[in-house]
Amino acid sequence: METDAIKKFIKKIPFFSVFNDHELNKLVGREKIFKDCKKGETIFEEGDSGASIFVILYGEVELIKSSKGKDDVVIVKLPVGSVFGEIAMLTNRKRNLAARAASTKVVVMEFTNAFIDRLIPSVQVKFHKQLLFVLAKNLDTMNMRYAKLSSSVEVREQLAEEGEIK
């Protein structure tokens, strides 16, 4: 019964919406993939191995960049449904950011490469398609942020040339 409740809950997370009940059983019924964290607890450190990705089921997670001799910088705060850690997992590189629980309670699902490799091929295909969708969406968001930043720099330079600002 517990598996049914979990499936019903995660089906509301966009990443899992394409999976049928049988496929969700494959994702949630095998291993301990759930991780509970309290506020301030580290999910992974900058420099750790990137052999897994995470999906936020409950709470918020901060992605943090350490700064030598200065306070750490929160790069982004991720809400429920967010997928993170995918770049390090796909490139087999070390983590370039840390992840920390930002709310009182955080629950994430962790999927390792080894776990994904053991899934049946049809579930692997759906999992990878969902991962590609996440990557495309994140790239689009970064492109929009870059365009906005670039245009604001151009406006600032133009205003400086006209003597409007120093």
Side-chain angles (χ1 to χ4, degrees), residues 73-131:
V73 177
V74 175
I75 302 299
V76 67
K77 192 179 275 191
L78 301 171
V80 169
S82 297
V83 177
F84 65 100
E86 72 280 2
I87 301 297
M89 186 196 81
L90 290 170
T91 61
N92 204 27
R93 294 186 180 162
K94 298 206 179 288
R95 306 272 183 205
N96 62 3
L97 299 172
R100 175 176 65 201
S103 52
T104 306
K105 179 178 175 71
V106 171
V107 178
V108 296
M109 291 177 79
E110 179 178 12
F111 296 100
T112 64
N113 276 326
F115 176 87
I116 296 165
D117 288 345
R118 287 191 306 272
L119 293 170
I120 61 174
S122 62
V123 177
Q124 282 184 17
V125 168
K126 279 189 179 180
F127 194 93
H128 288 124
K129 280 184 177 181
Q130 288 302 94
L131 195 50

Side-chain angles (χ1 to χ4, degrees), residues 26-49:
K26 301 291 184 192
L27 291 174
V28 301
R30 287 189 179 172
E31 300 177 20
K32 183 170 176 6
I33 58 172
F34 298 95
K35 184 174 183 175
D36 292 342
C37 306
K38 295 176 183 157
K39 186 172 184 157
E41 190 176 331
T42 300
I43 298 166
F44 58 75
E45 296 279 356
E46 189 173 338
D48 283 355
S49 165

